[in-house]
Structures are given as structure tokens and as C-alpha cells.
């Protein structure tokens, strides 16, 4: 267990409050004067800044610093409660009495109870259900440095290599057990029964190395198989003599003195993963006509690219291991009979660009067992998931002819189903969140009842907590997704403690220092999103269509605005027309910026222009807003809005065309979990201005590979963009520098090749870890099982179907 150093700011604050009562009163009364029970970090910052105008010293006092460090304040007539985030995921709670200025530290439970009290208008439940997973974490190994968060596998390799072999002899024995268990559909791999002890293993390796050293490096495994079998070795060590020697050499090194590096290198060669199930139940999951529909955005793009990359990597590794098995990847999703021109009513769909990966669709059924014909929003699918898991399991086993070796969940619903399937089939579970709704919507936990009718967050957050805790490992796209930044709370971190008054209070729901977290960022399909500077790869035949899209006349029901001045560069944006994407915000900023309107045109690809074509309330509301903005700011000659969905090759060529004309891409979201469009635009060499809330903050190095903008400060954002174009006018090399920076950044960090390689290694290391530590986590699973039965199930059932 790590011990935390107490927050030195607290005694300093207590002393300040005692010694400077009148200043303290002034600050506190300023906060009360805001007349809001809850103040967020930005409110507290603004408050200190405002107070500093009269008294410059305030920001530098213990109180000013504490308010800067606070993530939130909860205030009633007598008390101010503060939640201080000392560093990533390390919190202190305290309260200050408004009369006496006494300061006490309080527990997280007390802090949450006070918030409940305020949110419910006085209701206080001292016996309310508290969820606390902390006691179960005690036995587990945790990281201690915030810089190590998201690098769980490195930590495990270090722990494994030292711990395994500390326990005299036991480690070797476990490694032997692990190597003996590998088989594929009844065929033994790696070791056969001739090797029954560690001594026999060492001896066998030494003996096998003698003839192996004599054979030419490229001698194929088939010519070596008989001899190796006589020493106790089956297929799986390598495809030729050289590789088998290397793999055996690595194992001998490990048995002699294991190092983290040799352990990872060896494990990454063990044939463990032949079949993977990827679960994504809710949306329109398909390969055409699905993107841009409600609920179906980047997640589908991500999974299809992931499947291609991972299958390729599985195939490569199996070939290197000398095993003649075709890897299988199955994406499990929902079959939607009313498919509206998509393939979502087809049970099986091969995935283009793969050897034999498929989308396997299984319908949702209601309680009476009837198939649900229509699409259901991701916020309302909870009552169908249990039955889906059972039906999907049956179909999956039939499709694969056995169990998968890894189950990957996607988004809250897919992760819950992955959790159910993994437990039933005893297979490793990997989670990918894509976007956790909790941090997207302000007070989605505290005022959960107000959102219940539309969003049913009670069921979703409960499912999240369960799936996060059952997962063997979690893959995230960025660091901030796990642990935020110095100033902001991470998406996963926000599950550490929160309360849904009247339902339950989470005092410890998750630990971001858990080594299960790994940052493995996605990329953009390199076949589609390549630099504008590669003329031989460009899709010239699409150019007339693109010219029509950008500069053509009105398209019936599909466009608004016709660009009057063609020679200007373009600001381009493309996204689903959700409120959070803030496309209407960008249009408004542009409308209000005479300077930008002088310099550039705006091209928007989002949603539908005709509200009647939309089946989604939030989208319809945004469509109306965009039309209102066009009218209010008379944008029809300067903004081109296309309410169409672009297929990927066309989108790729469009990004490049914008780059040819030295435009930029803008991603103005209020919050963006990761932001695939940002990566796509950068891969095409387009300078990007993207939100500083979420993934883009980490993807882009400000001023080098793009720019950060604050969606809450539109004027500053437009000024930044205008300044960029001014500088490019003065010196066109400025644009080139940003374009080059974007390309370099993507190449360095965001490629599917790297993703697939990491994913395959992680799944082996976590599989090994699970095996050798015998870490079944029975108590945790029982606790979570109770939570599932007593909380999740009634909440899910209460969601109207
Ligand atoms: N997209 C597209 N055509 C459109 C709108 C979006 O191909 O008309 C794609 C876009 O290229 C990206 C994905 O949809 O690959 C959106 O992913 P992102 O991560 O940006 O946002 P999400 O929709 O997942 O929130
Ligand atoms: C969901 C989102 O909201 C995006 O930010 C991600 O890029 C996408 O999923 C893929 O993970």
C-alpha cells in the first residue's frame, strides 16, 4: 500500500483562516453572493480573479491557492465544503464554517452527503447505500506515480518478473503450468506430456538447442517438428529454426534471471489468441450508410479499423509462431430488422479488407421473446442487454466453433455485455469506453433524476462501474481519458467518487492507479487518410464531385448556402450534429467575426439540413439552431452546410482538397472524448484547431501540430484562427510548418500498426498475469454480482422499452 503525504495546504489554510478572518469573510461572502449551491472549478477561479481586482494579494494567500486547487465547492448558509484535487486522483475534502472560519477535514462520504443534502433540498440519508471497492483493492498491486498511469503493462512486467521468481521455484512451476495449457481445438501447442517438471523443461530446451543450432536459420518448422516433439516441444515456438532458437533462448533467459523486457518479448510470442469477440451492441453497426446516424459515430470507424489491424497482426504472429491457423475476429452487434437501407438486418456481414472477420448480428428481444424491430437509442437499451448476452453467446460459440480467447467491450453497453460473457465463458475481458457520458453532462450524477426520462444515466453509470471493475484490462485513447490533467478530472477518475442522491453514493468506485489501464491510441486508416502531398495516391476521379459539394449550387434538401467567393481558403468542420459537438457554436463564432468572414469561407458537413429527415430530438433542435444562425448572420454566401453523410474515401479526398487550398479543420466540441476527425485531418496534412476539452488537448501540441481552442471563449478562438490566416498571408511557410507538424505527430503516436501490436501484447501479458497470480478476485466479483443483481437489474428493467 502506498501512503499519501498529507496535503500541506490544509494546515496553512487553517492558520490563514484564523489569522485573517476579515479577508476570509470577504472571500466566503463573495462565494455565497454567487447564490449557487455548487461552484465548479472555473467558477472558483473566476471568483478568485475577481476578488484579486480589489486585492491583488488574495490569489497568493493560502485561501486563494486552496480555491485554485479546488475542483468544486458546495455551499449552504453555514458551510462551504471544498473538494481539493491535490494531484491526479488524490483528493482532500474539507469544510469551512462561515461564522467561525473553523476548518475541518471531512471524509468523502460526508462530502457527498452534504452535496446530496443540497441537491435534494434538505434530504439526508445516513443509511443510504455506499459503494466502496477500496477494501478489495488492498491486496492488489497499484502504481504510485501519476506519470505511470496508463502504462499498466510495463508495471505488470516489472512486478511479474521480480515477483514470479522471488517465490522460490513457484514462479518456474507456474510458468510451466502456463506453457502446458496451450492448445487449439484439441491440438496441443508449445509443450507436450514429455515435459512434466521445470527440470525437464530446462533440460528439454538445452537438448533442443543443440540440433537447432546446427540447422540453417530458415529451415522451416515442418522439417524440425518431429525432432522437437521428441524433446517435448509442439508447434508454437516459431516458423523456422532461427525463430525457434530465439524463443527458446528467451525462455532460458527467463528461467535463469527474468527481466521485464525478456518476459514481455517471450509472452508476445506465445500462441494464445486465435479468436477475438468485439462487442458493440447498440448502434447501427455496419460498413455503409450508418455513420452520422444517432448513436453511430467514431466507434464504428474505430472498430472496423481495429478489426483490420488486429486481424493482420494476429495473422502475422501466428505465421511467425509456425502455426497454420486462420485467426477469427467477430464483431457482435444488434440485428435491427427495420434497417432503413443499411445492412443492419443481415445476420452476418464479412468485413471488407480482412481475411475472414465478420459482423455477427443478434436481435434484441423483449421479455416475451419477441424480436424488437426498430432502432433503440443507446440510452434506452438497458432492458435488452441480458437477453442479448445469452443469445449472442450461443451464436458466437456456434460461429467460432468454441470460445473466443479475448472479449473486447465497447462503450457502456458493450462493456457490460463483455463483462457478462467473460464471466460466463471464463475469458479475459478488455474494455474500451470511447466516451463516458458522465463527464459530458454537467451534474449528470447529482441531478440524475432530472435526466432520467431522456438519458437513464442511473442504469448507465451502474453498468459502467460494474464493467470497469470486472475488466481484466482497459484500453484508453489518451492519458486524460483516465486521469485528466493537472486542472481537470479524468473521465475514468470521475467514477472514483460521486453520488446519485436517493440511489447510492460511491465513495470508492475505481482506482486510476490500477495497472489495468493502458493508453493505446487509435489511428486513422492510412489507405484513406494520407497526406495531400502524395499526388500519385490521390483519388482524382472524385474531384468533380468534391468541387460540386463545396462550390456547387443548392442540393435539394441536402445543402444550405452557396459560396460566393471561391478563391478564399476554407474552414472545414465535420461531425454528427449533437449539441456537444458544438457545430452551431462554430457557425455562430464565424457569423460574429467580421475579420474571419473577410478571410475565409466555412464548410460544414453535419447532420441533416431538413429537420424532417432526422429521427433524433437533439439533432432536430440543432438543425433549427443552425438555420436560425444562417438567417440572423446572413451566412448564405459564406457558409456552405452539407447535411449529407460522406463515405470515407470521399471524406479523405475532401480533407486533402481543403489542404490543397490551404484551409484548416476546426473541431469546436464542448467536450470530445478522443476525436477521430482530428487525427484524420492531421493525417491528410491539414492544420487543425480543436477543443481543449478532451482528447485533442493531448493529440495536438499547441502551436506545433495544431492549436487548442476553448469552446467557451468563441471570440478568442476566432481571433486565433484569424491571426493564423494573417500570418499565413505574410508567410505561407507558416501553414506548411503546422501541416508538417500535424503529419509528424500522427506518424509518431497515432497509427493502427502500433495499436495492433500493443493490443496483442497486452492481451497476452494480462492473460499470463491472470493465470500466474491466480487472481480470480472472487470477493470483488461477489460484491459486484450483488451490485448487479440489486441495483443494475431493477434500474435496467425500469427503462421503458
Ligand atoms: N464521419 C464520416 N462522415 C460524416 C461524419 C462523420 O465519415 O459525414 C466519420 C468521421 O470521419 C470520423 C467519425 O465519423 O471517422 C466520427 O468520429 P469522432 O471520433 O470524430 O466523433 P464521434 O462521432 O465518435 O463522437
Ligand atoms: C466516441 C467519441 O465521442 C469520440 O471522441 C471517439 O473518437 C470515438 O468514440 C472513437 O473512440
Amino acid at each position: 500500500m502506498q501512503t499519501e503525504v498529507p496535503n500541506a495546504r490544509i494546515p496553512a489554510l487553517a492558520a490563514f483562516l484564523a489569522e485573517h478572518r476579515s479577508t476570509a469573510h470577504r472571500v466566503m461572502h463573495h462565494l455565497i453572493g454567487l447564490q449557487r449551491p455548487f461552484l465548479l472549478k472555473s467558477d472558483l477561479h473566476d471568483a478568485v480573479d475577481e476578488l484579486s481586482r480589489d486585492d491583488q494579494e488574495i490569489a497568493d494567500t493560502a485561501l486563494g491557492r486552496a480555491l485554485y486547487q479546488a475542483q468544486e465547492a458546495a455551499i449552504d448558509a453555514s458551510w462551504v465544503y471544498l473538494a481539493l484535487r491535490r494531484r491526479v486522483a488524490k483528493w482532500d475534502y474539507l469544510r469551512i464554517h462561515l461564522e467561525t472560519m473553523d476548518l475541518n477535514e471531512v471524509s468523502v462520504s460526508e462530502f457527498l452527503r452534504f452535496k446530496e443534502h443540497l441537491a435534494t433540498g434538505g434530504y439526508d440519508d445516513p443509511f443510504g447505500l455506499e459503494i466502496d471497492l477500496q477494501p478489495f483493492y488492498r491486496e492488489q498491486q497499484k502504481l504510485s506515480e501519476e506519470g505511470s498511469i496508463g502504462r499498466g503493462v510495463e508495471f505488470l512486467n516489472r512486478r511479474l518478473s521480480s515477483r514470479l521468481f522471488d517465490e522460490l521455484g513457484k514462479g518456474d512451476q507456474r510458468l510451466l503450468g502456463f506453457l502446458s495449457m496451450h492448445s487449439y481445438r484439441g491440438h496441443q501447442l508449445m509443450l507436450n506430456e514429455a515435459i512434466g517438471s521445470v527440470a525437464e523443461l530446462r533440460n528439454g530446451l538445452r537438448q533442443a538447442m543443440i540440433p537447432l543450432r546446427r540447422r540453417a536459420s530458415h529451415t522451416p518448422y515442418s522439417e524440425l517438428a518431429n525432432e522437437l516433439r521428441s524433446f517435448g516441444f509442439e508447434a508454437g515456438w516459431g516458423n523456422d529454426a532461427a525463430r525457434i532458437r530465439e524463443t527458446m533462448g528467451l525462455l532460458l533467459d527467463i528461467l535463469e534471471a527474468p527481466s521485464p523486457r525478456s518476459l514481455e518479448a517471450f509472452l508476445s510470442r506465445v500462441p494464445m489468441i486465435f479468436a477475438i469477440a468485439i462487442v458493440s451492441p447498440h448502434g447501427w453497426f455496419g460498413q455503409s450508410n450508418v455513420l452520422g446516424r444517432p448513436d453511430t459515430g467514431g466507434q464504428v470507424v474505430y472498430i472496423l479499423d481495429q478489426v483490420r489491424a488486429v486481424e493482420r497482426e494476429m495473422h502475422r504472429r501466428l505465421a511467425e509462431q509456425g502455426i497454420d491457423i486462420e485467426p477469427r475476429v467477430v464483431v457482435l452487434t444488434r440485428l435491427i430488422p427495420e434497417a432503413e437501407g443499411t445492412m443492419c438486418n443481415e445476420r452476418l456481414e464479412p468485413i471488407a479488407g480482412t481475411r475472414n472477420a465478420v459482423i455477427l448480428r443478434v436481435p434484441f428481444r423483449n421479455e416475451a421473446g419477441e424480436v424488437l424491430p426498430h432502432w433503440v437509442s443507446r440510452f434506452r437499451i438497458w432492458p435488452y442487454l441480458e437477453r442479448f448476452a445469452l443469445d449472442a453467446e450461443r451464436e458466437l460459440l456456434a460461429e467460432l466453433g468454441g470460445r473466443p480467447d479475448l472479449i473486447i467491450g465497447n462503450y457502456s453497453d458493450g462493456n457490460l455485455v463483455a463483462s457478462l460473457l467473460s464471466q460466463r465463458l471464463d475469458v479475459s475481458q478488455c474494455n474500451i469506453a470511447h466516451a463516458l457520458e458522465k463527464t459530458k453532462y454537467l451534474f449528470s450524477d447529482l441531478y440524475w433524476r432530472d435526466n432520467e426520462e431522456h438519458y437513464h444515466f442511473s442504469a448507465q453509470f451502474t453498468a459502467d462501474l460494474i464493467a470497469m471493475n470486472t475488466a481484466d484490462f482497459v484500453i484508453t485513447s489518451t492519458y486524460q481519458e483516465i486521469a485528466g490533467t493537472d486542472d481537470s478530472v479524468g473521465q475514468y477518475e470521475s467514477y472514483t467518487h460521486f453520488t446519485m442522491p436517493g440511489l447510492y453514493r460511491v465513495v470508492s468506485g475505481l482506482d486510476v492507479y490500477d495497472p489495468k489501464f493502458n493508453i493505446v491510441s487509435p489511428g486513422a486508416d492510412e489507405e484513406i487518410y494520407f497526406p495531400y502531398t502524395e499526388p500519385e495516391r490521390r483519388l482524382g476521379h472524385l474531384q468533380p464531385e468534391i468541387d460540386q459539394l463545396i462550390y456547387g449550387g443548392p442540393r435539394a434538401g441536402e445543402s444550405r448556402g452557396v459560396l460566393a467567393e471561391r478563391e478564399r481558403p476554407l474552414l472545414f468542420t465535420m461531425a454528427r450534429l449533437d449539441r456537444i459537438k458544438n457545430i452551431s457554436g462554430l457557425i455562430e463564432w464565424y457569423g460574429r467575426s467580421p475579420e474571419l468572414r473577410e478571410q475565409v469561407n466555412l464548410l460544414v458537413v453535419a447532420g441533416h439540413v431538413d429537420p424532417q429527415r432526422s429521427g433524433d430530438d437533439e439533432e432536430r433542435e440543432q438543425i433549427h439552431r443552425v438555420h436560425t444562425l444562417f438567417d440572423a448572420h446572413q451566412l448564405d454566401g459564406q457558409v456552405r452546410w452539407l447535411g449529407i453523410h460522406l463515405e470515407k474515401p470521399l471524406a479523405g479526398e475532401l480533407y486533402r482538397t481543403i489542404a490543397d487550398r490551404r484551409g484548416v479543420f476546426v473541431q469546436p466540441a464542448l467536450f470530445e472524448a478522443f476525436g477521430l476527425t482530428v487525427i484524420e485531418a492531421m493525417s491528410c496534412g491539414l492544420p487543425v484547431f480543436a477543443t481543449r476539452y478532451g482528447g485533442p488537448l493531448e493529440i495536438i501540441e499547441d502551436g506545433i501540430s495544431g492549436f487548442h481552442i476553448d469552446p467557451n471563449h468563441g471570440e478568442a478562438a476566432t481571433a486565433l484562427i484569424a491571426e493564423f490566416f494573417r500570418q499565413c498571408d505574410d508567410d505561407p511557410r507558416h501553414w506548411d510548418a503546422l501541416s508538417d507538424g500535424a503529419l509528424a505527430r500522427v506518424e509518431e503516436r497515432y497509427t493502427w500498426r502500433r495499436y495492433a501490436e500493443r493490443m496483442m501484447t497486452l492481451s497476452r501479458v494480462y492473460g499470463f498475469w491472470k493465470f500466474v497470480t491466480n487472481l480470480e478476485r472472487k470477493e470483488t466479483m461477489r460484491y459486484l454480482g450483488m451490485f448487479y443483481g440489486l441495483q443494475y437489474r431493477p434500474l435496467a428493467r425500469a427503462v421503458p422499452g
Side-chain angles (χ1 to χ4, degrees):
M1 283 286 293
Q2 19 167 329
T3 42
E4 267 299 314
V5 181
N7 189 347
R9 296 226 161 129
I10 296 176
L13 177 59
F16 179 86
L17 294 171
E19 287 159 23
H20 300 88
R21 286 173 58 96
S22 75
T23 311
H25 268 287
R26 191 149 44 84
V27 173
M28 292 301 157
H29 283 93
H30 181 84
L31 299 183
I32 297 169
L34 298 173
Q35 297 193 336
R36 282 158 51 194
F38 301 108
L39 298 178
L40 302 172
K41 186 173 184 67
S42 52
D43 303 319
L44 293 166
H45 259 240
D46 291 349
V48 178
D49 289 348
E50 203 173 321
L51 286 157
S52 303
R53 269 182 226 134
D54 295 335
D55 175 356
Q56 286 181 356
E57 313 270 277
I58 283 207
D60 230 6
T61 62
L63 181 54
R65 283 194 293 272
L67 291 178
Y68 270 140
Q69 201 182 50
Q71 277 296 329
E72 58 174 318
I75 304 171
D76 75 357
S78 313
W79 296 97
V80 169
Y81 278 61
L82 294 175
L84 305 188
R85 187 168 173 267
R86 186 183 341 148
R87 61 187 182 105
V88 166
K90 298 294 176 195
W91 295 78
D92 300 292
Y93 302 93
L94 48 90
R95 62 178 192 176
I96 299 168
H97 193 268
L98 290 170
E99 284 299 311
T100 62
M101 291 294 143
D102 282 348
L103 178 150
N104 323 108
E105 282 197 63
V106 293
S107 66
V108 57
S109 173
E110 285 170 282
F111 178 76
L112 294 174
R113 255 176 80 185
F114 185 69
K115 281 175 67 173
E116 290 161 18
H117 177 75
L118 293 180
T120 55
Y123 175 76
D124 183 19
D125 182 2
F127 300 109
L129 174 62
E130 279 197 352
I131 303 299
D132 185 1
L133 281 135
Q134 184 62 36
F136 301 105
Y137 297 147
R138 235 167 248 149
E139 297 302 311
Q140 293 175 22
Q141 306 285 333
K142 287 286 154 65
L143 317 168
S144 42
E145 296 307 320
E146 59 197 62
S148 308
I149 291 175
R151 304 207 322 250
V153 79
E154 288 172 33
F155 173 84
L156 278 196
N157 281 332
R158 282 200 301 274
R159 296 295 309 167
L160 270 170
S161 50
S162 62
R163 195 176 133 191
L164 246 186
F165 302 94
D166 284 349
E167 300 168 12
L168 289 173
K170 273 196 200 152
D172 296 4
Q173 200 58 44
R174 288 189 192 154
L175 187 55
L176 174 68
F178 174 74
L179 291 176
S180 308
M181 76 176 192
H182 297 293
S183 66
Y184 178 78
R185 308 284 185 251
H187 294 286
Q188 190 61 30
L189 299 169
M190 301 303 279
L191 301 183
N192 63 33
E193 62 296 332
I195 292 183
S197 68
V198 178
E200 282 167 357
L201 175 61
R202 279 175 179 255
N203 199 34
L205 287 168
R206 283 186 213 117
Q207 283 191 321
M209 283 297 237
I210 300 168
L212 278 172
R213 272 196 289 266
R214 281 203 300 266
R215 306 297 287 261
S217 291
H218 53 266
T219 313
Y221 171 68
S222 54
E223 287 179 27
L224 306 164
N226 282 340
E227 197 169 9
L228 288 174
R229 190 165 293 129
S230 69
F231 296 122
F233 300 106
E234 296 292 326
W237 295 86
N239 56 348
D240 62 18
R243 200 164 173 89
I244 299 172
R245 277 197 304 258
E246 269 171 33
T247 313
M248 291 189 165
L250 277 170
L251 181 56
L252 278 169
D253 280 353
I254 291 169
L255 291 171
E256 188 73 14
S259 74
R261 189 169 304 181
S262 57
L263 190 63
E264 179 172 319
F266 177 71
L267 289 176
S268 67
R269 289 171 174 228
V270 176
M272 290 167 70
I273 312 285
F274 311 100
I276 297 182
I278 300 180
V279 194
S280 172
H282 66 257
W284 301 93
F285 196 105
Q287 299 177 85
S288 52
N289 293 331
V290 295
L291 286 180
R293 285 171 184 266
D295 283 12
T296 302
Q299 189 186 147
V300 172
V301 176
Y302 178 119
I303 294 172
L304 290 172
D305 287 350
Q306 173 198 42
V307 168
R308 282 185 271 268
V310 164
E311 193 204 59
R312 211 174 297 134
E313 181 67 14
M314 287 166 83
H315 189 264
R316 187 184 70 79
R317 290 198 185 201
L318 285 170
E320 279 181 0
Q321 284 150 359
I323 298 178
D324 187 18
I325 292 171
E326 272 300 327
R328 297 295 314 273
V329 183
V330 174
V331 178
L332 270 179
T333 188
R334 189 194 151 198
L335 185 146
I336 309 175
E338 292 172 4
E340 299 182 15
T342 69
M343 296 250 304
C344 294
N345 55 352
E346 299 275 331
R347 180 178 171 277
L348 214 55
E349 182 184 340
I351 298 181
T354 67
R355 304 170 74 88
N356 54 20
V358 291
I359 302 169
L360 173 61
R361 300 193 180 91
V362 179
F364 280 178
R365 290 173 196 275
N366 63 17
E367 283 197 350
E370 296 150 351
V371 168
L372 202 73
H374 50 272
W375 167 78
V376 195
S377 145
R378 70 185 185 282
F379 297 121
R380 288 175 170 264
I381 56 162
W382 306 104
Y384 304 105
L385 292 184
E386 234 174 51
R387 182 150 199 153
F388 173 80
L390 294 179
D391 292 347
E393 175 185 314
R394 216 175 27 251
E395 301 248 359
L396 178 69
L397 294 180
E399 179 63 27
L400 292 176
R403 289 185 306 179
D405 306 295
L406 174 68
I407 298 179
I408 305 176
N410 291 273
Y411 193 67
S412 305
D413 57 340
N415 289 327
L416 186 78
V417 173
S419 167
L420 298 177
L421 288 176
S422 300
Q423 284 170 64
R424 286 174 57 83
L425 298 174
D426 191 22
V427 171
S428 292
Q429 176 193 350
C430 165
N431 281 14
I432 303 178
H434 295 285
L436 292 166
E437 304 295 339
K438 191 156 165 297
T439 30
K440 272 200 207 168
Y441 296 80
L442 202 55
F443 298 126
S444 54
D445 43 13
L446 198 59
Y447 292 113
W448 64 279
R449 277 187 212 279
D450 299 347
N451 288 315
E452 206 55 5
E453 193 189 332
H454 271 98
Y455 295 111
H456 304 285
F457 286 143
S458 60
Q460 183 156 4
F461 299 166
T462 309
D464 285 340
L465 274 176
I466 292 168
M468 287 169 189
N469 280 288
T470 59
D472 294 292
F473 65 105
V474 174
I475 281 185
T476 71
S477 298
T478 58
Y479 179 94
Q480 64 82 31
E481 181 178 342
I482 313 171
T485 62
D486 284 347
D487 302 329
S488 63
V489 181
Q491 295 177 57
Y492 277 97
E493 185 186 359
S494 77
Y495 285 77
T496 318
H497 36 71
F498 64 97
T499 181
M500 293 197 278
L503 199 58
Y504 57 80
R505 179 186 308 139
V506 178
V507 296
S508 176
L510 183 89
D511 188 346
V512 298
Y513 289 85
D514 192 314
K516 70 167 61 168
F517 288 102
N518 285 282
I519 306 161
V520 187
S521 309
D525 184 343
E526 291 169 32
E527 301 285 314
I528 305 277
Y529 306 104
F530 54 83
Y532 76 103
T533 46
E534 297 185 15
E536 64 293 352
R537 298 179 70 193
R538 298 284 297 264
L539 313 176
H541 63 284
L542 295 178
Q543 210 53 55
E545 190 178 345
I546 288 179
D547 279 346
Q548 273 305 309
L549 284 173
I550 307 178
Y551 300 111
R555 300 164 70 97
E558 286 187 343
S559 77
R560 177 154 186 193
V562 174
L563 299 181
E565 296 189 41
R566 295 181 57 138
E567 59 293 344
R568 292 176 170 187
L570 286 155
L571 286 189
F572 173 41
T573 194
M574 175 170 76
R576 290 177 296 122
L577 202 50
D578 279 5
R579 191 182 66 77
I580 303 275
K581 295 285 184 193
N582 196 31
I583 297 298
S584 53
L586 173 63
I587 297 173
E588 182 166 13
W589 304 344
Y590 179 81
R592 288 179 185 281
S593 166
E595 193 179 7
L596 215 49
R597 290 177 69 168
E598 274 290 299
Q599 293 170 310
V600 291
N601 290 319
L602 174 61
L603 174 68
V604 176
V605 176
H608 298 278
V609 171
D610 175 1
Q612 287 185 342
R613 294 197 186 179
S614 171
D616 187 74
D617 291 345
E618 195 175 311
E619 190 179 65
R620 265 194 299 273
E621 186 265 320
Q622 287 294 305
I623 293 172
H624 287 301
R625 186 164 143 69
V626 175
H627 282 297
T628 311
L629 288 167
F630 262 79
D631 296 338
H633 296 283
Q634 300 179 354
L635 295 174
D636 285 275
Q638 291 171 309
V639 182
R640 173 83 161 167
W641 173 23
L642 296 169
I644 53 175
H645 167 260
L646 302 180
E647 289 300 325
K648 282 171 76 177
L650 193 61
E653 205 47 42
L654 179 58
Y655 285 117
R656 284 186 291 272
T657 305
I658 312 278
D660 292 335
R661 299 173 196 189
R662 304 182 88 76
V664 301
F665 186 77
V666 188
Q667 214 288 12
L670 301 176
F671 180 82
E672 184 61 61
F674 180 66
L676 286 176
T677 52
V678 172
I679 299 287
E680 292 165 0
M682 290 168 74
S683 308
C684 294
L686 200 50
V688 176
F689 291 76
T691 180
R692 52 171 295 100
Y693 296 112
L697 183 70
E698 206 167 311
I699 299 172
I700 292 171
E701 309 136 290
D702 194 32
I704 299 171
S705 42
F707 296 94
H708 300 149
I709 52 175
D710 186 337
N712 302 314
H713 295 106
E715 245 175 71
T718 43
L720 188 74
I721 300 172
E723 173 59 24
F724 174 75
F725 280 107
R726 231 186 349 262
Q727 284 191 29
C728 294
D729 275 347
D730 292 348
D731 180 1
R733 280 174 307 179
H734 188 50
W735 190 96
D736 294 324
L738 267 295
S739 170
D740 292 346
L743 289 169
R745 180 71 171 170
V746 169
E747 179 52 32
E748 179 200 327
R749 292 246 188 144
Y750 303 102
T751 65
W752 283 110
R753 275 170 280 132
R754 184 173 299 111
Y755 179 101
E757 197 276 320
R758 285 319 288 158
M759 173 62 131
M760 286 297 94
T761 298
L762 291 184
S763 48
R764 284 163 172 81
V765 174
Y766 283 92
F768 180 59
W769 173 247
K770 198 170 170 168
F771 180 85
V772 293
T773 54
N774 228 345
L775 201 71
E776 283 182 13
R777 299 183 296 149
K778 273 212 175 94
E779 302 85 344
T780 324
M781 290 306 194
R782 282 294 183 198
Y783 184 75
L784 294 169
M786 178 123 54
F787 190 39
Y788 179 86
L790 298 180
Q791 280 293 322
Y792 171 76
R793 293 186 98 194
L795 288 168
R797 286 194 186 125
V799 176

